[in-house]
Amino acid sequence: MAQKEVDDRFKRFGTVSFTAVTRTNDFVGYLEQGKIMGTGCKACGATYFPPRSDCFRCLDSNMEWFEVSGTGSLLSFTELEYAPAGFEDDLPYTIALLDYGGYKVFGRISKDIPYEELQVGMELKAEVKTLPNGQLNYVFTRP
Ligand SMILES: [Zn+2]
């Protein structure tokens, strides 16, 4: 009997991974190359981050990858003192939303930037990071 091969690359994403198998496994393949990718709908042009494999707007499944590059504007941020199970060792950390124009990226602020220096409207970039346990993640840091 042939063994079914499971594409479980998604389990390498994040401090604790919740979904090992998704249709957007290539996201992690790109992270391994140092690229943070979203998806765009070829039919209507809608852009998504995190990547979606189906368009929420027009329900088309003809999606293509694009790289989250350049800088985004800091829309909002907050420091977490309590975290979901598995993230306790990282506390305190700051989560934020960057506005890239056509899409928004949610993630963490790098510990290199002191909380006091964060300001709404400042430009930050997203950067791939390999965690000590080998998991992949991305953080927002100074351009
Ligand atoms: Zn669409």
Side-chain angles (χ1 to χ4, degrees):
M1 233 187 179
Q3 212 175 358
K4 198 178 172 203
E5 216 171 293
V6 178
D7 185 356
D8 62 354
R9 283 177 289 169
F10 210 80
K11 72 175 187 226
R12 278 202 73 202
F13 176 63
T15 307
V16 176
S17 191
F18 299 102
T19 335
V21 181
T22 80
R23 288 173 69 193
T24 49
N25 258 315
D26 287 342
F27 178 69
V28 175
Y30 283 120
L31 282 182
E32 286 168 349
Q33 299 167 37
K35 292 177 181 171
I36 302 159
M37 306 290 278
T39 53
C41 174
K42 285 186 184 174
C44 76
T47 48
Y48 295 99
F49 192 91
R52 297 180 58 100
S53 48
D54 302 290
C55 182
F56 185 71
R57 199 201 287 174
C58 74
L59 307 178
D60 202 281
S61 296
N62 195 6
M63 307 292 275
E64 61 187 349
W65 291 97
F66 70 90
E67 187 174 359
V68 173
S69 59
T71 61
S73 169
L74 183 58
L75 265 189
S76 69
F77 59 94
T78 187
E79 190 174 46
L80 296 190
E81 288 178 38
Y82 302 95
F87 293 86
E88 304 92 336
D89 293 346
D90 297 345
L91 291 170
Y93 61 89
T94 304
I95 53 170
L97 192 63
L98 296 194
D99 187 356
Y100 274 79
Y103 56 96
K104 295 178 179 67
V105 179
F106 175 81
R108 271 196 213 193
I109 301 276
S110 165
K111 298 218 184 231
D112 299 344
I113 308 178
Y115 187 80
E116 307 76 55
E117 291 179 23
L118 293 172
Q119 280 183 334
V120 168
M122 75 192 289
E123 293 291 314
L124 295 172
K125 66 168 185 180
E127 193 174 78
V128 176
K129 194 179 145 188
T130 305
L131 301 173
N133 63 4
Q135 293 288 105
L136 293 164
N137 203 347
Y138 60 86
V139 293
F140 300 143
T141 186
R142 289 182 214 277

